Amino acid sequence: GQNIDQPTEMTATEGAIVQINCTYQTSGFNGLFWYQQHAGEAPTFLSYNVLDGLEEKGRFSSFLSRSKGYSYLLLKELQMKDSASYLCAVRDPRGYSTLTFGKGTMLLVSP
Amino acid sequence: ETGVTQTPRHLVMGMTNKKSLKCEQHLGHNAMYWYKQSAKKPLELMFVYNFKEQTENNSVPSRFSPECPNSSHLFLHLHTLQPEDSALYLCASSPTGTGGDTIYFGEGSWLTVV
C-alpha cells in the first residue's frame, strides 16, 4: 500500500515564502506530483519529480529525496491567488499512470 | 479551461434515482479516469480506462457503473446511491495510461444524494 502525509492547513503572508512538506511510504517509487486546487475548481498540475533534487518553475519549486521518502513544494513571493489546496501524489509503482493522493494542504495567504 | 469537460457541474438526486455523469476530453488522450473527492479525505481512484478498456476498478460498489464508448468520452452511471456517496466526482485523462503520463483533471461534478 501507499501512505502519504502532508499538513492539513498552513497560513502565510503575501510576499513571503512557504514550504509545504509531504512524506510518503510506498512499496516502490515511480514519481511524485504536486497539484494545486482552488475551491470548486479542477486540480491543476504544478510539478513532477522522479529524481532527487530541486525542480524550479517560476515562483514554485519542488524538491525530492527518495531515500527519505520526502518532498516539499516551495512557493515564493506569495500572492493572494495562491490561496488553495496543494495536493501531493505518488504515481503507481507498477509503472501505470494512476496517482495516489495525500489529503492536501490548505494554504491561506493573508494580506 | 482544462481540456476535460464534465457535466452536470451540480447534481442532486434521491436514493432511488438513476442519473449519469458525463466527461469529455479534447486532448487526444487515450486514458480516462474517475476519482472521488470527499471532504477531509484524499482523492480516491475509482476506475481507469485505457483505449476504451477498463483496466482498474478500485473496489467500487456496483451502484457506480462506468461506461467508456470511445477514448474521448466517459460516463459514470449512478443507481440507488447512499447519502455517503455525496462528493465531488472528478474525471481526468492522460496520454497513454502508462508511467510518464501527466494526468489532467476536469472541474468535477458535485453530487448530493438526499
Side-chain angles (χ1 to χ4, degrees):
Chain A
Q2 302 185 88
N3 188 44
I4 301 167
D5 290 310
Q6 50 183 135
T8 303
E9 292 181 351
M10 297 184 71
T11 58
T13 306
E14 198 173 13
I17 299 173
V18 72
Q19 178 175 311
I20 303 174
N21 296 324
C22 172
T23 57
Y24 62 90
Q25 297 88 40
T26 58
S27 55
F29 183 77
N30 191 30
L32 185 143
F33 290 76
W34 285 95
Y35 281 79
Q36 179 192 60
Q37 186 178 24
H38 286 100
E41 297 185 12
T44 55
F45 169 75
L46 287 179
S47 70
Y48 167 66
N49 295 72
V50 67
L51 299 177
D52 292 350
L54 189 68
E55 294 283 340
E56 296 185 82
K57 191 184 291 186
R59 294 189 298 115
F60 293 3
S61 304
S62 57
F63 172 83
L64 175 68
S65 169
R66 288 172 296 170
S67 62
K68 295 181 179 178
Y70 169 68
S71 173
Y72 67 72
L73 181 69
L74 191 71
L75 292 76
K76 303 176 184 176
E77 302 170 16
L78 281 173
Q79 302 174 11
M80 299 293 289
K81 67 178 182 178
D82 297 329
S83 293
S85 183
Y86 291 85
L87 311 177
C88 175
V90 294
R91 179 182 276 149
D92 190 318
R94 297 171 295 172
Y96 303 134
S97 56
T98 52
L99 298 176
T100 299
F101 285 85
K103 292 184 179 181
T105 299
M106 180 62 68
L107 173 66
L108 177 61
V109 180
S110 57
Chain B
E1 179 60 46
T2 66
V4 181
T5 304
Q6 292 187 240
T7 55
R9 294 294 315 278
H10 298 271
L11 177 64
V12 179
M13 60 184 290
M15 289 188 284
T16 58
N17 291 161
K18 289 184 181 180
K19 297 286 185 182
S20 296
L21 305 180
K22 178 183 176 182
C23 176
E24 181 174 3
Q25 57 95 0
H26 313 277
L27 300 169
H29 291 168
N30 291 301
M32 296 188 78
Y33 312 76
W34 281 115
Y35 276 86
K36 176 183 178 182
Q37 189 173 34
S38 304
K40 302 188 186 302
K41 294 177 71 174
L43 271 82
E44 302 171 63
L45 178 68
M46 300 176 72
F47 301 105
V48 183
Y49 278 82
N50 283 315
F51 295 90
K52 304 187 297 179
E53 299 296 321
Q54 187 181 125
T55 55
E56 190 145 352
N57 175 339
N58 199 24
S59 303
V60 180
S62 60
R63 58 186 184 270
F64 295 91
S65 174
E67 179 189 2
C68 188
N70 55 61
S71 293
S72 299
H73 294 85
L74 184 65
F75 295 89
L76 188 63
H77 303 300
L78 315 170
H79 181 222
T80 60
L81 295 191
Q82 304 298 311
E84 58 265 29
D85 296 322
S86 298
L88 178 66
Y89 289 85
L90 289 161
C91 176
S93 71
S94 72
T96 65
T98 59
D101 275 6
T102 295
I103 292 179
Y104 297 89
F105 287 89
E107 296 196 343
S109 293
W110 286 96
L111 173 67
T112 303
V113 182
V114 297

